[in-house]
Amino acid sequence: MPRAFLDALFSLVAWPSLESLVDGSDQLFWGVVQPLSEMTKLSYTATWGSYYRPYAQNATVTGWRRGPEVNPEAGMRALSFLQTDGSLGVIAFRGTDLNSSGISGQADACANEVLGGDKLSELCGNFSTHQLDYYSRAMEFAEELAARHPSTSWLFTGHSLGAELASLVGALRAVPALGFAAPPLKPVLRRKHLQVTVTRWSSLTLYDEHDPLRFQSKGELLGMNCSWPSTAPIPGCRACEADPLLTREVCQECFAATHTFSNYLKHVRKGTRPTCHGAPMTA
Ligand SMILES: *[C@@H]1O[C@H](CO)[C@@H](O)[C@H](O)[C@H]1NC(C)=O
Ligand SMILES: *[C@@H]1O[C@H](CO)[C@@H](O)[C@H](O)[C@H]1NC(C)=O
Ligand SMILES: *[C@@H]1O[C@H](CO)[C@@H](O)[C@H](O)[C@H]1NC(C)=O
Ligand SMILES: *[C@@H]1O[C@H](CO)[C@@H](O)[C@H](O)[C@H]1NC(C)=O
């Protein structure tokens, strides 16, 4: 990472507002988004599940040390990062393990059914209600860290299910969230009868323009969104956009090409800024 990007966060006592990121310099934008993307990657590779890599277990990001984490073999997983020489902190919530042959992916699939208000699959009986309530486990972790580090300025991040938890917990705790590729968020709040005061600057979600989760989330996010032009535009994604159900083959193809976090890392490494759009103020 170029030194200038790292310096963008040095000596800040609080995270810059999401508004200043969207409107501000490249240095500030990448100074925030680049380390968050590395932390989000570690949320997959340093935790139990099919993306685990031994070298990542204790790895961190330059300028940050790893803080407490939640890392069960099946259940909500999250890492925390504390600036080594400053006041900033990050929780990176982990996204879905798409390999459902192991208990990590099975628990994630069940947790997504819980969040989506869907009928639970039979194998979900293998897990406790407590274990599948990722939203509450994420809230607990955020509360615990806030109590342990009361003077830290927090920001939440994550990809997919991780972005969903980051934005929901962020909205409830008035902590800004910057996530990648979140699914629709407002339906979860409606189902849970949660009242939150969100502004367009509570949360920022970044998408690949052809990610079917972007199509599904239109009007259902809690704040701003930005999108990158697709790295390899797939013609079928236009057809998916019209009816973005992941059970449709055209959407599955589009999902496989755009939704993975490795695709998002490509966008970050390429260094082209995404185009940002305003969002409605109400939840
Ligand atoms: C990570 O740290 C723990 C605790 O210090 C240690 O037991 C483990 O071996 C380390 N893992 C790796 C891959 O270095
Ligand atoms: C899923 O995980 C299992 C081990 O639980 C592994 O054998 C298999 O290769 C993985 N499948 C994919 C598609 O990565
Ligand atoms: C999970 O539940 C299914 C169906 O209820 C069962 O067949 C399976 O063996 C269970 N798996 C584990 C790991 O307990
Ligand atoms: C992104 O913001 C624009 C402008 O407010 C909005 O029309 C669109 O629905 C948002 N996209 C998503 C995925 O919510």
Side-chain angles (χ1 to χ4, degrees), residues 79 86 112 145 185:
L79 304 179
N112 281 323
L145 281 177
L185 299 167

Side-chain angles (χ1 to χ4, degrees), residues 50 99 101-102:
S50 55
N99 183 338
S101 72

Side-chain angles (χ1 to χ4, degrees), residues 49-51 97-103:
S50 55
Y51 312 116
D97 187 341
L98 293 173
N99 183 338
S100 52
S101 72
I103 60 165

Side-chain angles (χ1 to χ4, degrees), residues 3-161:
R3 188 66 223 170
F5 288 161
L6 290 174
D7 288 346
L9 298 184
F10 187 67
S11 83
L12 290 179
V13 293
W15 282 99
S17 70
L18 298 174
E19 178 173 16
S20 69
L21 279 191
V22 166
D23 294 340
S25 66
D26 284 356
Q27 183 182 342
L28 187 64
F29 182 84
W30 294 115
V32 173
V33 171
Q34 194 155 16
L36 294 183
S37 73
E38 295 300 327
M39 292 170 191
T40 299
K41 182 184 176 189
L42 284 174
S43 74
Y44 282 111
T45 54
T47 57
W48 290 111
S50 55
Y51 312 116
Y52 173 71
R53 298 289 175 270
Y55 70 81
Q57 191 186 354
N58 301 321
T60 190
V61 174
T62 310
W64 302 78
R65 68 177 169 85
R66 290 266 295 271
E69 63 190 48
V70 185
N71 185 17
E73 286 183 50
M76 197 287 296
R77 281 151 287 190
L79 304 179
S80 69
F81 297 85
L82 294 151
Q83 215 177 15
T84 42
D85 201 6
S87 323
L88 311 184
V90 175
I91 298 180
F93 294 99
R94 183 202 148 115
T96 305
D97 187 341
L98 293 173
N99 183 338
S100 52
S101 72
I103 60 165
S104 151
Q106 289 167 4
D108 286 357
C110 295
N112 281 323
E113 289 172 357
V114 170
L115 281 163
D118 304 328
K119 189 175 177 306
L120 294 193
S121 310
E122 201 185 319
L123 67 81
C124 301
N126 292 337
F127 306 106
S128 69
T129 308
H130 185 270
Q131 210 172 2
L132 295 185
D133 185 358
Y134 282 23
Y135 163 79
S136 300
R137 302 291 77 74
M139 278 294 275
E140 275 169 12
F141 185 49
E143 281 162 14
E144 180 198 323
L145 281 177
R148 240 202 251 199
H149 299 280
S151 56
T152 295
S153 167
W154 291 98
L155 187 147
F156 300 156
T157 192
H159 166 252
S160 196
L161 165 63

